[in-house]
Amino acid sequence: MSTLEQTAPEQTAPEQTTGARRASVPATREEVLASARRARVAAAELAVATRAIKDGALRAMADAVLDRREEILRANALDVEAAVAAATPDSLVDRLRLTASRVEAMAAGLRELAGLPDPVGTIVRGSVLPNGLELQQVRVPMGVVAIIYEARPNVTVDAAGIALKSGNAALLRGSASAHESNKVLVAILSAAAAAAGLPADAVQLVPGTDRESVTHLMTARGLVDVIIPRGGAGLIAAVVNGSTVPVIETGVGNCHVYVDATADHTMALQILVNSKARRPSVCNAAETLLVHADAAPTFVPLAVAALREAGVVVHADAAVRELVGDVPGVVPATDEDFDTEFLSLDIAAAVVPDIDAAIAHITAHGTGHTEAIVTSTLAAAQRFTARVDAAAVMVNASTAFTDGGEFGFGAEIGISTQKLHARGPMGLAELTSTKYVVTGTGQIRASS
Amino acid sequence: MSTLEQTAPEQTAPEQTTGARRASVPATREEVLASARRARVAAAELAVATRAIKDGALRAMADAVLDRREEILRANALDVEAAVAAATPDSLVDRLRLTASRVEAMAAGLRELAGLPDPVGTIVRGSVLPNGLELQQVRVPMGVVAIIYEARPNVTVDAAGIALKSGNAALLRGSASAHESNKVLVAILSAAAAAAGLPADAVQLVPGTDRESVTHLMTARGLVDVIIPRGGAGLIAAVVNGSTVPVIETGVGNCHVYVDATADHTMALQILVNSKARRPSVCNAAETLLVHADAAPTFVPLAVAALREAGVVVHADAAVRELVGDVPGVVPATDEDFDTEFLSLDIAAAVVPDIDAAIAHITAHGTGHTEAIVTSTLAAAQRFTARVDAAAVMVNASTAFTDGGEFGFGAEIGISTQKLHARGPMGLAELTSTKYVVTGTGQIRASS
């Protein structure tokens, strides 16, 4: 496991607090825009920073996070205290809580980023045109990247590091619940960047933790180049609907495992259990099992037993229930279950007459994240990969592999489920744009 | 010149009609959504269509356009008649008008598309992961592409052809003024596609020509994958602000030519005049001249003379006016002039103290389209290309080269001025997304 995975930006369940939330900090539109303007100025400097300078800053940030660990933990304790006082569920308090080892993992993540190649300056394509013009398409930073996220303070460090490595200024909008932690973390990162010769404004916490500050941020078109919302479906929908700044949508994953007629049952069971139960709260976890009717009589009872052993509740359609009878851990599936991203130890299960019915089910209910087929038939694998429209399609492999670290990208800012710009795990290159540089010797274009 | 360029989708001036417009055709939200749903069904079929089928359809479309030329011209005559009756300016009537040779150019464009390589299925990257998983990132169609455009009916055929070649269903929303032409053209294209074995719904005219139909289209998130507005700044701003579907912004170009201290003056004059006057109504035309103070005393008088000879009015700052005196064709520049995309035989002109002032001016006033430097100093070229943030940066070449045809892409759906997804001329590849296909032998992911 890479150290980066410990601070992994995998999508998790929406974070809802109960009872009395911490009061949010208000910010005026002008305060948010002023922050974005400073980020633009910083971005112009970052765009021409060498890799050596950027990597030096990342290492300095890692050192600073470790040096000032006590300060971070003290600020975090205030957040945790407030969350506990507000009767926040334990699982959310746990996400919010920093420990010495979590702080070490943050620093390790920054060091790992420093070791990755710099995407900026890569020549994506180049050619000499018939008239002698030299055409190059070169990777350049996006500019100002805004990331809107929920409670986990490690995202603050991850996102800042990934943005900086790819030459972008980061505008971070964390949640009110992590505000004390985030303030200290950003102050540390910003000071370290400045000491290493980069603009202090390269990493900023967006002023305000109220809803309006998000609105100001996502309508700062021209100042902010892209917004990446990372959180529950509600946050993502709000940003997508309200933003005039381009958005990269991340993470809702209603992922399916389809067990074909010719699947190896042992393989299928392992993939199914791993896809569902390895880490149920992340977006690449499976939420629905579909079984070909020919495989169902043998496979469904085995699957239900294996899932129950892993503590999974099976929301079963009539065909599945008929095959397994009335056993504990199996409940009738509602129509809604097949559209639900459980993010828990629950799975919907249905029998389908054939592969095309499986594909049609996935087309109707999937969210375009990760879809898996288990089969030993080449034509089935071909049909499934060609016809299923998703960021990642797995053949005889767990859905859990949809991950920047697993794909070898070294770092991941999230998993895009949209088709524009980036689809699937987003690494450093996905935080860049390109620029055409055309070099001539006085060429002019003929009139048409 | 390629035949495709005759039907070139270069950005042109906003099209405003005067007086009594043709009444727009209303459409309900449900009608627009139904059209989008049919497009989605068609898109699923198009995504797995072979290149042979798609190219056959493009050739069949070309044949049909020629065969039914009379019908097209009759419908177009109705549009032209209505435009003339509404006292539409001649330049707009000219854009609307089809002739036998324009229809031939449409057909030639379709044939040219049939000859281009298919972007779908290209493997963008591929590797074998340490655990033996085979990872491939494969180009796939976007799905449903909506194009919103103004009067020119040739865009209907161009856009349909480019969308189809890249495996996408096209939802075309032309203007009310071209509605009769567009109806006939889309009926012809759709019938030809169906006869060639593709879904008839692969090419559809969006119901309605009223404003509401645009609103319905751009809020059809989940049904439409991307919207490309092509037209004046007003149209683009309306779509960007109102759309929940991802948008690719095209075309506003406030392009600069910067003549550096060491520029070859003959070369600079040719590039300047070509950039400004070759085709002033397109988005890659230059709108501002900036001259280094050291070059100004010699170059500015030559430049003003050359521009005047080309019929260009120079909106000059005080320094330029001082150098040329009170001559016809030179008017004082207002502050606004430096932010204006004239799209006419007008240019703003200013003297700047050095290259950094030129870059700062471009950063403040440019629209991120095309910026050119004329210089013989390597360090100046390096500084300009590194620091100017635009889709295309030209060194010693005309701004007019920012064009899909000139760049060798074979086809162009527009020139993106945003950083997300596509930047600069958009060819067939820019109308695709990617999908990760991961093939294993039963791999599961270790628990972390």
Side-chain angles (χ1 to χ4, degrees):
Chain A
M1 191 190 67
S2 73
T3 47
L4 218 66
E5 203 200 334
Q6 292 182 315
T7 61
E10 287 182 272
Q11 197 61 45
T12 53
E15 294 170 356
Q16 289 153 341
T17 52
T18 60
R21 280 164 176 270
R22 169 181 286 184
S24 58
V25 180
T28 64
R29 178 162 182 82
E30 193 37 51
E31 286 170 319
V32 174
L33 294 186
S35 165
R37 275 187 216 108
R38 289 195 301 271
R40 274 216 91 63
V41 173
E45 246 184 90
L46 274 170
V48 293
T50 61
R51 177 176 169 187
I53 297 267
K54 290 189 288 186
D55 289 351
L58 289 166
R59 291 196 190 93
M61 287 174 168
D63 291 343
V65 163
L66 292 180
D67 286 351
R68 295 171 68 177
R69 165 188 341 207
E70 292 310 318
E71 202 179 327
I72 295 168
L73 294 177
R74 272 198 306 276
N76 183 250
L78 296 176
D79 286 333
V80 168
E81 212 170 279
V84 170
T88 306
D90 287 351
S91 63
L92 298 189
V93 174
D94 179 60
R95 282 190 203 158
L96 185 58
R97 182 177 287 121
L98 292 177
T99 60
S101 79
R102 283 181 178 181
V103 172
E104 276 157 28
M106 287 176 181
L110 291 168
R111 278 186 206 291
E112 208 165 297
L113 278 169
L116 292 175
D118 188 344
V120 174
T122 304
I123 297 177
V124 179
R125 58 179 156 184
S127 61
V128 179
L129 302 180
N131 58 8
L133 283 177
E134 292 172 23
L135 177 73
Q136 292 188 332
Q137 186 181 18
V138 184
R139 279 207 188 286
V140 296
M142 281 280 177
V144 177
V145 175
I147 298 135
I148 305 177
Y149 53 102
E150 293 173 336
R152 293 184 303 157
N154 63 298
V155 175
T156 305
V157 177
D158 274 1
I162 292 174
L164 189 144
K165 175 79 189 196
S166 50
N168 295 291
L171 282 178
L172 304 170
R173 171 55 170 75
S175 73
S177 62
H179 197 52
E180 296 300 326
S181 313
N182 288 341
K183 274 194 299 187
V184 168
L185 286 168
V186 168
I188 291 171
L189 297 174
S190 173
L198 288 178
D201 289 330
V203 182
Q204 291 181 71
L205 199 61
V206 177
T209 62
D210 57 346
R211 268 168 195 276
E212 287 68 30
S213 70
V214 172
T215 305
H216 302 326
L217 187 63
M218 69 194 189
T219 52
R221 194 176 175 91
L223 294 176
V224 178
D225 292 294
V226 61
I227 292 193
I228 305 175
R230 286 187 39 189
L235 169 66
I236 292 168
V239 173
V240 159
N241 289 321
S243 185
T244 58
V245 171
V247 175
I248 300 179
E249 200 180 339
T250 66
V252 176
N254 185 13
C255 307
H256 298 71
V257 173
Y258 165 60
V259 177
D260 192 36
T262 61
D264 175 299
H265 286 194
T266 308
M267 185 193 292
L269 289 173
Q270 286 177 343
I271 288 173
L272 170 64
V273 172
N274 187 257
S275 298
K276 175 68 256 181
R278 175 185 168 274
R279 209 172 150 192
S281 67
V282 299
C283 61
N284 60 26
E287 307 292 6
T288 297
L289 164 67
L290 300 173
V291 184
H292 190 291
D294 292 353
T298 323
F299 183 73
V300 163
L302 295 171
V304 169
L307 287 166
R308 284 175 55 202
E309 192 169 329
V312 177
V313 174
V314 180
H315 301 245
D317 78 345
V320 167
R321 291 203 310 278
E322 193 160 311
L323 287 165
V324 296
D326 187 15
V327 287
V330 176
V331 300
T334 63
D335 284 354
E336 228 174 40
D337 285 336
F338 291 100
D339 290 309
T340 301
E341 190 187 17
F342 292 109
L343 297 169
S344 59
L345 287 171
D346 291 86
I347 195 166
V351 174
V352 290
D354 56 29
I355 187 172
D356 284 341
I359 294 169
H361 182 103
I362 291 168
T363 302
H365 302 279
T367 55
H369 192 294
T370 301
E371 309 297 353
I373 181 174
V374 187
T375 188
S376 53
T377 306
L378 178 58
Q382 289 171 321
R383 194 166 183 86
F384 193 83
T385 55
R387 289 176 186 260
V388 167
D389 189 21
V393 182
M394 303 285 169
V395 178
N396 295 341
S398 170
T399 59
F401 286 114
T402 302
D403 173 90
E406 292 294 320
F407 278 13
F409 300 168
E412 181 192 286
I413 188 77
I415 295 175
S416 164
T417 51
Q418 70 179 30
K419 292 187 191 172
L420 210 67
H421 185 71
R423 197 177 192 205
M426 290 186 284
L428 295 169
E430 282 71 24
L431 280 186
T432 66
S433 181
T434 61
K435 173 199 281 188
Y436 285 101
V437 175
V438 185
T439 308
T441 52
Q443 282 86 344
I444 58 170
R445 187 168 168 193
S447 47
S448 55
Chain B
M1 193 190 65
S2 73
T3 47
L4 218 66
E5 202 202 334
Q6 293 183 312
T7 61
E10 287 181 272
Q11 198 61 43
T12 52
E15 294 171 357
Q16 290 154 338
T17 52
T18 60
R21 280 167 177 268
R22 169 182 286 183
S24 59
V25 180
T28 64
R29 178 162 182 83
E30 193 36 53
E31 286 170 319
V32 173
L33 295 185
S35 167
R37 272 186 217 107
R38 289 195 301 272
R40 276 215 90 64
V41 173
E45 244 185 273
L46 274 170
V48 293
T50 61
R51 176 174 171 188
I53 298 266
K54 291 189 289 187
D55 289 351
L58 289 166
R59 292 195 189 93
M61 287 173 166
D63 291 344
V65 164
L66 292 179
D67 286 351
R68 295 171 67 178
R69 165 187 341 205
E70 292 310 317
E71 200 179 327
I72 295 168
L73 295 176
R74 273 199 305 276
N76 184 250
L78 296 176
D79 287 332
V80 168
E81 214 170 277
V84 170
T88 306
D90 287 351
S91 63
L92 298 189
V93 173
D94 179 61
R95 283 190 204 159
L96 185 59
R97 183 179 286 122
L98 292 177
T99 60
S101 78
R102 284 181 176 181
V103 172
E104 277 156 27
M106 287 178 181
L110 291 169
R111 276 185 208 292
E112 207 166 296
L113 278 169
L116 292 176
D118 189 343
V120 174
T122 304
I123 296 177
V124 178
R125 58 180 156 184
S127 62
V128 180
L129 303 180
N131 58 9
L133 283 176
E134 292 173 23
L135 177 73
Q136 293 189 333
Q137 187 181 18
V138 184
R139 280 207 186 286
V140 296
M142 280 280 177
V144 177
V145 175
I147 299 134
I148 305 177
Y149 53 101
E150 293 174 337
R152 294 183 304 159
N154 62 297
V155 175
T156 305
V157 178
D158 274 2
I162 292 174
L164 189 144
K165 175 78 189 197
S166 50
N168 295 291
L171 282 178
L172 304 169
R173 170 56 169 77
S175 72
S177 62
H179 197 55
E180 296 301 324
S181 312
N182 289 340
K183 275 194 300 187
V184 168
L185 286 169
V186 169
I188 291 170
L189 297 174
S190 171
L198 288 178
D201 289 329
V203 182
Q204 290 181 71
L205 200 60
V206 177
T209 61
D210 57 347
R211 268 167 195 277
E212 287 69 31
S213 70
V214 172
T215 304
H216 302 326
L217 187 62
M218 69 194 189
T219 52
R221 193 174 175 91
L223 294 176
V224 178
D225 293 293
V226 61
I227 292 192
I228 304 175
R230 286 187 37 188
L235 168 66
I236 291 168
V239 173
V240 160
N241 290 321
S243 186
T244 58
V245 172
V247 175
I248 300 180
E249 200 179 340
T250 65
V252 176
N254 185 13
C255 307
H256 298 71
V257 173
Y258 165 61
V259 178
D260 191 36
T262 61
D264 175 300
H265 287 192
T266 308
M267 184 194 291
L269 288 174
Q270 287 178 343
I271 288 174
L272 170 64
V273 172
N274 188 256
S275 298
K276 174 69 256 182
R278 176 186 167 273
R279 210 172 150 192
S281 67
V282 299
C283 61
N284 60 26
E287 307 293 6
T288 298
L289 164 67
L290 300 173
V291 183
H292 189 290
D294 292 353
T298 324
F299 184 72
V300 163
L302 295 171
V304 168
L307 288 165
R308 285 175 54 203
E309 192 168 330
V312 178
V313 174
V314 181
H315 301 245
D317 78 346
V320 167
R321 291 202 310 279
E322 192 158 313
L323 287 166
V324 296
D326 187 15
V327 288
V330 176
V331 299
T334 63
D335 284 353
E336 227 174 40
D337 284 337
F338 291 99
D339 290 308
T340 301
E341 190 186 17
F342 294 108
L343 296 169
S344 60
L345 287 171
D346 291 86
I347 194 166
V351 175
V352 290
D354 55 29
I355 187 173
D356 284 341
I359 294 169
H361 182 105
I362 291 169
T363 302
H365 302 279
T367 55
H369 192 294
T370 301
E371 308 297 353
I373 181 174
V374 187
T375 187
S376 53
T377 305
L378 178 58
Q382 289 172 321
R383 193 166 184 87
F384 193 84
T385 55
R387 290 176 185 261
V388 167
D389 189 22
V393 181
M394 303 285 170
V395 177
N396 295 340
S398 170
T399 60
F401 286 114
T402 302
D403 173 271
E406 291 294 320
F407 279 12
F409 300 168
E412 181 192 285
I413 189 76
I415 295 175
S416 165
T417 51
Q418 70 180 32
K419 292 188 190 171
L420 210 68
H421 185 72
R423 197 177 193 203
M426 290 186 285
L428 294 170
E430 282 70 26
L431 279 186
T432 66
S433 180
T434 62
K435 174 198 281 188
Y436 285 101
V437 176
V438 184
T439 308
T441 53
Q443 282 85 343
I444 59 172
R445 186 169 169 192
S447 48
S448 55

